[in-house]
Amino acid sequence: MTPRNAPPYPTDRPTPFDPPVELAHYREHEPIRRMRYPDGHTGWLVTSHGLARSILADSRFSARSEFKRPPVSRPGADPFYGAPALPGWLVDMDAPEHTRIRQRLTGKFTARRMREMRPAIERIIENLLDDMERDTPPVDLVESFALPVPSLMICELLGVPYSERKEFQRNSETLFSLEVTADEASAAMDRLYAFLRELATTGGRRDGLLAMLAEDGTLDAEEIAGVGVLLLTAGHESTSSSLALSTFTLLSHPEQLAKLKERPDLVDNAVEELLRYLTVFHFGVPRTPLEDVEVDGHLLRAGESITVSLPAANRDPEWFAQAPDTFDIERRTSGHLAFGYGIHQCLGQNLVRMEMRAALPALFRRFPGLALAVPAEEIPLSTDMSVYGVHRLPVTW
Ligand code: HEM
C-alpha cells in the first residue's frame, strides 16, 4: 500500500452495536497505518488501546482546531474544522490556553458536585416518565426521553432560569436537528450565543455554572458564553445518543437486561460497559503532530492528521481480555476510552454517569414490559453523524 491509495476511515457496520470489521483487522495487523481523508490528504489511523493512550497523553500531538480535518465526509459543512478555536472552546486548544480554561471548570464537575445534582436529575427523569406514561404507545423514546433528559440537565447545570428554558430548548433542538438548513442551524447558534452572553453578564441562576464563572472573574463574558455553548454541544447529542442506544442494546440483549433488573447493584458497571461497547464518538478524536514524531516504527510528519479510533481501542483484546466484542455488564471495564484520554478527557463524564445510572433503571422500573415497537432492523441509525446513535426508537410497553 502506498500512502496515495490508503483506505478511508471505515464506516460500514456489521450490526447496530459493532464497529466496522476493518477496524479489528487494522488493529491486529497494523495498529497505526495510513488513512485517506475526504479532502485527499493522507494521514494516519490509530486503532490499538496502547497507541491511542500514548498519543492522547503526548503534548507533541495538538488538538488545535485549525489543524483538524474531518475524518469522514458528512452532509453539511462542519464549522469547527480548520479554523482557530472559538473563545472558551477548550476542546480545540492546547496548553497553556486549554489549562487556563479547564482549571476554572474542573471543580464544577467533580463526582461530589454531580451527586449534589442527583435530586434535580431524578426529578427531571420522573417528570418525563410521567408524561410518557400518559401517552399512548408506541412512542419515540428519543423525543420523549433521551433528548429532553440531557437538555434539561444542561439548563440545570448552566443555571438557565425556568422561564427561559422553553426558548433555550427550542434553539438547541434546532441546532441539533437534521431537518433544518445550515442557515437555520447557524441562526439558532447565534441566538444561543446571545442568550448565554446575556446570562454570563447577568449571571443567570446564582447556583448555576455560568454565574459561578462570572463571579470568579477569570474568564471574560465571551469565553463564558463559549463554554456554555461548548457544554451544550458536547453534552447534548452524546448523552441523548448514549441513552437511546443503551436502551436499544439492553432490549436486544434480554439476558443482560434480566440480570440488570435482578441485580440493580450492577448498574454502575453496566453503564461503563454500555459506554465502552457502544463508543458513540465512533469517528474517534483528531490530533496533529506539531513536530515529526516516530510512533511504532512509523514517522509521523508535523502537520499530518491523525485519527485515534476510540471504538477500535475499546474493543482491543490486549486490554479487554475477555471477548471484547461481547456485551457483558459484569466484565472489567476500567480503562475504557469512551471519554477519550489525557488532558482533553471528557469534562462531563461524571454528569453522564449520573444521568445514565439514574435514567436507565428508572425507565425499566416504570415500564417493566418495555419493548421495541418495530423490528430491530427498522430502527434508523445515525451512522453519518459525528455522534453515533439512533434517529428514532419507537417503543411500547
Ligand atoms: C455519553 C456522553 C459523552 C461522551 C461519550 C463524551 C465523549 C467525549 C470525548 C471522547 C471527549 C474528548 C475529545 C478529544 O479528546 O478531542 C470529550 C471531551 C469533552 N466533553 Fe464529553 N462526552 C459526553 C458527554 C459530555 C457532557 C454531558 C458534557 C458537558 C456537559 C461534555 C463536555 C465535554 C467537554 C467540555 C470536553 C472537552 C474537554 C477538554 O478539551 O478538556 N461531554 N467528551
Side-chain angles (χ1 to χ4, degrees):
M1 180 188 70
T2 64
R4 284 160 64 84
N5 61 16
Y9 191 86
T11 53
D12 280 347
R13 288 172 171 266
T15 78
F17 310 115
D18 292 301
V21 289
E22 291 91 335
L23 289 174
H25 180 76
Y26 298 161
R27 187 182 57 226
E28 193 183 334
H29 299 284
E30 219 180 345
I32 177 159
R33 61 168 6 243
R34 286 295 199 171
M35 167 182 144
R36 196 174 68 250
Y37 282 70
D39 66 356
H41 167 78
T42 305
W44 299 91
L45 171 61
V46 173
T47 45
S48 73
H49 192 274
L51 289 181
R53 274 185 316 157
S54 72
I55 286 176
L56 294 177
D58 186 334
S59 61
R60 291 174 297 175
F61 296 97
S62 171
R64 280 164 56 187
S65 46
E66 58 261 52
F67 304 134
K68 288 178 182 169
R69 292 181 171 86
V72 298
S73 92
R74 293 187 293 117
D78 202 321
F80 307 112
Y81 288 103
L86 300 170
W89 281 65
L90 65 158
V91 68
D92 288 334
M93 299 174 183
D94 293 341
E97 293 82 6
H98 171 267
T99 327
R100 182 177 70 87
I101 299 177
R102 177 116 185 178
Q103 272 173 350
R104 306 318 324 159
L105 298 174
T106 312
K108 321 268 187 294
F109 283 90
T110 57
R112 189 174 63 82
R113 271 203 60 79
M114 293 301 128
R115 272 196 302 276
E116 286 165 13
M117 291 180 72
R118 177 99 191 193
I121 174 85
E122 283 174 353
R123 203 174 49 244
I124 288 171
I125 287 168
E126 291 306 325
N127 288 344
L128 289 167
L129 292 174
D130 288 346
D131 290 347
M132 204 170 128
E133 208 170 15
R134 279 192 286 269
D135 256 353
T136 312
V139 306
D140 175 12
L141 195 85
V142 173
E143 196 188 320
S144 16
F145 192 65
L147 274 176
V149 168
S151 161
L152 289 167
M153 235 8 244
I154 288 172
C155 286
E156 196 67 37
L157 181 82
L158 297 180
V160 176
Y162 289 101
S163 56
E164 317 263 11
R165 289 194 180 180
K166 278 231 144 46
E167 178 62 15
F168 183 81
Q169 269 187 294
R170 222 189 332 269
N171 284 319
S172 37
E173 265 163 34
T174 310
L175 186 64
F176 298 119
S177 168
L178 283 179
E179 268 120 54
V180 300
T181 62
D183 283 351
E184 285 166 332
S186 112
M189 176 75 125
D190 289 347
R191 283 196 297 275
L192 279 168
Y193 252 102
F195 175 74
L196 291 171
R197 219 177 272 125
E198 170 78 21
L199 208 62
T201 321
T202 60
R205 270 189 25 212
R206 282 225 302 283
D207 55 349
L209 185 128
L210 295 186
M212 291 185 202
L213 289 176
E215 207 176 289
D216 174 279
T218 315
L219 307 186
D220 65 31
E222 204 53 33
E223 289 175 321
I224 299 177
V227 164
V229 178
L230 170 64
L231 294 180
L232 173 68
T233 317
H236 190 278
E237 212 181 336
S238 50
T239 312
S240 75
S241 289
S242 298
L243 282 173
L245 206 53
S246 294
T247 308
F248 184 21
T249 307
L250 287 164
L251 292 175
S252 307
H253 295 80
E255 72 303 339
Q256 296 291 312
L257 176 57
K259 202 186 286 178
L260 183 59
K261 285 179 174 171
E262 223 168 82
R263 298 219 11 227
D265 59 301
L266 286 177
V267 67
D268 290 6
N269 201 59
V271 164
E272 297 309 311
E273 172 66 348
L274 285 161
L275 290 162
R276 176 198 77 87
Y277 184 65
L278 299 170
T279 314
V280 296
F281 269 52
H282 63 148
F283 299 145
V285 289
R287 292 293 185 270
T288 315
L290 296 169
E291 56 188 84
D292 293 358
V293 183
E294 200 183 307
V295 177
D296 207 27
H298 296 281
L299 183 64
L300 281 54
R301 298 256 178 221
E304 286 182 331
S305 289
I306 303 172
T307 292
V308 178
S309 174
L310 302 179
N314 271 346
R315 300 286 184 106
D316 189 342
E318 295 256 320
W319 187 268
F320 301 102
Q322 282 167 316
D325 290 320
T326 304
F327 173 57
D328 174 4
I329 62 170
E330 287 186 276
R331 79 160 61 249
R332 191 183 68 83
T333 52
S334 63
H336 75 70
L337 302 183
F339 292 123
Y341 190 77
I343 64 164
H344 291 281
Q345 197 183 53
C346 182
L347 183 66
Q349 56 185 289
N350 290 324
L351 178 61
V352 175
R353 291 192 167 104
M354 191 193 56
E355 290 181 70
M356 290 181 67
R357 288 171 187 175
L360 293 170
L363 175 68
F364 287 105
R365 255 195 322 269
R366 183 72 73 98
F367 303 105
L370 196 78
L372 295 179
V374 297
E377 311 76 71
E378 288 175 26
I379 305 289
L381 306 168
S382 51
T383 40
D384 57 353
M385 308 287 284
S386 58
V387 177
Y388 179 61
V390 295
H391 289 308
R392 283 183 304 285
L393 192 68
V395 291
T396 182
W397 52 84

